[in-house]
Amino acid sequence: MRTKGEITRAKILEAARELFNTKGFSATSINDLVVATGLQKGSFYFHFSGKDAIAREVLKEATGEFMEFLGKALGGDNPGASIDNFFRCALDKHLATGFVGGCIFGNTALEMSDSDPEFAGAIDSVFDEWISRVASAVAAAQKRGQIRTDINDEALAKHIIATIEGGIMMSRLKKDERPMRECLDTLRITLDLRV
Amino acid sequence: MRTKGEITRAKILEAARELFNTKGFSATSINDLVVATGLQKGSFYFHFSGKDAIAREVLKEATGEFMEFLGKALGGDNPGASIDNFFRCALDKHLATGFVGGCIFGNTALEMSDSDPEFAGAIDSVFDEWISRVASAVAAAQKRGQIRTDINDEALAKHIIATIEGGIMMSRLKKDERPMRECLDTLRITLDLRV
């Protein structure tokens, strides 16, 4: 059973993640977190040294969950099916939230990349790991003749991730799944992806 | 010659645009603008009713400039060359700023889409117009056999814009042109773009 302190800490992180993702990191104040959680201000400073520490912990948790998601999403009967499955899981993930919040890494990438180099570096590492995992799946699919081979695995992985991030952006603006779904369908064709 | 008032107004808008683009809209306060411009607070309220009014005007100016940029960038000897030129101009635009600031529409799309529907709508209109202009160029290139024809013009246009936005995101994180450049090079191949 979790202790009262652990429950409070988890409550703070959950509220922070939602606010950071919908309002942005910089725009979220400790006061917003007080209102969202109903906790006393003292509770925040008991568990965290400040907003930055909360942000770092939110990012750490989100990174762990995302890597777990990637591991599952990139699982399939064969490499081509794994990539196709990853596309489907990525869309489902955002359909589940109605395109509210979007991708925490994409959001913070655009918000923090100029203002907070340490934070930007942490997000960049998530992108690097993401690219590396997708590139491995692409390389395996290329070996099996399930994806075009005239562009190298890493370039295709970056292209896939860029397109997904852009698709999420357009779908979030419209609160409509179609832009992201269309981007993924187009990718399947342009990658010459066979399952 | 511009009046003193016009110069002050332009100074406010310029500082606001830079701060909005690097720190984010929500995180920028009137006080930040006071510091950045060296103007008295009263000057801001003489010219604008508040931060929202400044934000709307910044977006309006940026939209006008972007449409002018698109008009020029999408100009070429033939439709295929126009699309290739647009890719080159998009990269040059961000090379010129060293990937600081990025795309104001992409940034605000991710920052405001959940918190400010009116603003999100204005940004969505920019994306729609952007898609429509790129789709026209794609359709013309398809007619000339300069781009693949097995995917419709609008779907390809959305795919192109999504990939560019994602490429900017990755290049901003690294402050390195390569991710965006690679995404554009990959697009040229996957679109089967011939100049």
Side-chain angles (χ1 to χ4, degrees):
Chain A
M1 215 180 111
R2 293 194 301 177
T3 63
K4 205 179 150 205
E6 282 166 347
I7 293 169
T8 302
R9 196 173 179 279
K11 197 174 178 180
I12 293 171
L13 291 173
E14 196 189 333
R17 185 155 166 185
E18 197 185 321
L19 281 168
F20 289 163
N21 231 16
T22 49
K23 284 188 69 169
F25 275 79
S26 320
T28 301
S29 64
I30 293 284
N31 277 335
D32 291 331
L33 288 166
V34 167
V35 171
T37 57
L39 294 166
Q40 301 285 327
K41 213 174 223 178
S43 290
F44 289 88
Y45 293 105
F46 178 77
H47 289 283
F48 300 98
S49 62
K51 200 177 85 172
D52 277 8
I54 299 178
R56 274 196 299 276
E57 192 58 29
V58 164
L59 192 66
K60 199 177 132 196
E61 273 196 4
T63 302
E65 285 168 27
F66 181 61
M67 292 308 155
E68 205 186 310
F69 162 82
L70 264 189
K72 281 184 197 157
L74 278 168
D77 292 340
N78 57 65
S82 295
I83 295 170
D84 188 69
N85 194 50
F86 163 57
F87 287 179
R88 215 164 335 107
C89 290
L91 182 63
D92 284 348
K93 197 175 157 71
H94 293 284
L95 277 175
T97 61
F99 286 96
V100 172
C103 169
I104 190 170
F105 309 107
N107 298 348
T108 44
L110 293 198
E111 190 186 342
M112 315 293 272
S113 59
D114 295 336
S115 57
D116 190 327
E118 189 200 322
F119 214 81
I123 302 157
D124 192 34
S125 301
V126 176
F127 273 89
D128 282 346
E129 177 68 21
W130 187 8
I131 290 164
S132 158
R133 293 207 191 181
V134 173
S136 296
V138 167
Q142 285 178 323
K143 260 189 202 153
R144 294 265 295 242
Q146 293 181 302
I147 214 167
R148 63 190 303 157
T149 54
D150 57 345
I151 304 169
N152 74 59
D153 51 6
E154 205 187 311
L156 283 180
K158 283 181 195 162
H159 178 65
I160 288 169
I161 291 165
T163 309
I164 288 176
E165 285 292 343
I168 294 170
M169 182 186 282
M170 293 198 278
S171 274
R172 274 189 78 195
L173 266 180
K174 287 201 193 296
K175 300 285 175 243
D176 181 335
E177 68 179 86
R178 280 175 295 180
M180 184 179 183
R181 186 185 287 280
E182 275 183 40
C183 281
L184 292 171
D185 286 343
T186 303
L187 260 183
R188 287 184 177 93
I189 303 171
T190 59
L191 296 173
D192 205 1
L193 178 64
R194 281 144 289 167
V195 178
Chain B
M1 215 179 109
R2 292 193 301 175
T3 63
K4 205 180 151 207
E6 283 166 346
I7 293 168
T8 302
R9 196 173 179 279
K11 198 174 177 182
I12 293 170
L13 290 174
E14 196 188 334
R17 184 155 166 184
E18 197 185 321
L19 281 168
F20 289 162
N21 231 16
T22 50
K23 284 188 66 169
F25 274 80
S26 319
T28 301
S29 65
I30 293 285
N31 277 335
D32 291 330
L33 288 166
V34 167
V35 172
T37 57
L39 294 167
Q40 301 286 325
K41 212 174 225 181
S43 290
F44 290 87
Y45 293 104
F46 178 76
H47 289 282
F48 299 98
S49 60
K51 201 177 87 172
D52 277 7
I54 299 177
R56 275 196 299 276
E57 191 59 28
V58 165
L59 191 68
K60 198 176 133 194
E61 272 196 7
T63 302
E65 284 168 28
F66 182 60
M67 292 307 154
E68 206 185 310
F69 162 82
L70 265 188
K72 281 183 196 155
L74 279 168
D77 292 340
N78 57 64
S82 295
I83 293 171
D84 188 71
N85 194 50
F86 162 59
F87 287 178
R88 216 167 333 108
C89 291
L91 182 63
D92 285 347
K93 195 175 160 72
H94 293 283
L95 277 175
T97 61
F99 286 96
V100 172
C103 168
I104 191 170
F105 309 107
N107 299 347
T108 45
L110 293 199
E111 190 187 343
M112 314 295 269
S113 59
D114 295 335
S115 56
D116 190 328
E118 189 199 322
F119 215 81
I123 301 157
D124 192 35
S125 301
V126 176
F127 273 88
D128 281 346
E129 177 68 21
W130 189 6
I131 291 164
S132 157
R133 292 208 192 181
V134 173
S136 296
V138 168
Q142 285 178 323
K143 260 190 202 152
R144 294 266 294 242
Q146 294 181 303
I147 214 168
R148 63 189 303 157
T149 53
D150 57 345
I151 304 168
N152 75 58
D153 52 5
E154 205 188 311
L156 282 179
K158 283 181 195 163
H159 177 66
I160 288 168
I161 292 165
T163 309
I164 288 176
E165 286 291 341
I168 294 170
M169 181 186 283
M170 293 198 278
S171 274
R172 273 189 77 195
L173 266 180
K174 287 200 192 298
K175 301 286 174 243
D176 181 335
E177 68 181 84
R178 280 174 296 179
M180 185 179 180
R181 186 186 287 280
E182 275 183 40
C183 281
L184 292 170
D185 286 343
T186 302
L187 260 184
R188 286 183 176 94
I189 302 172
T190 59
L191 295 173
D192 205 1
L193 179 64
R194 281 145 289 166
V195 177

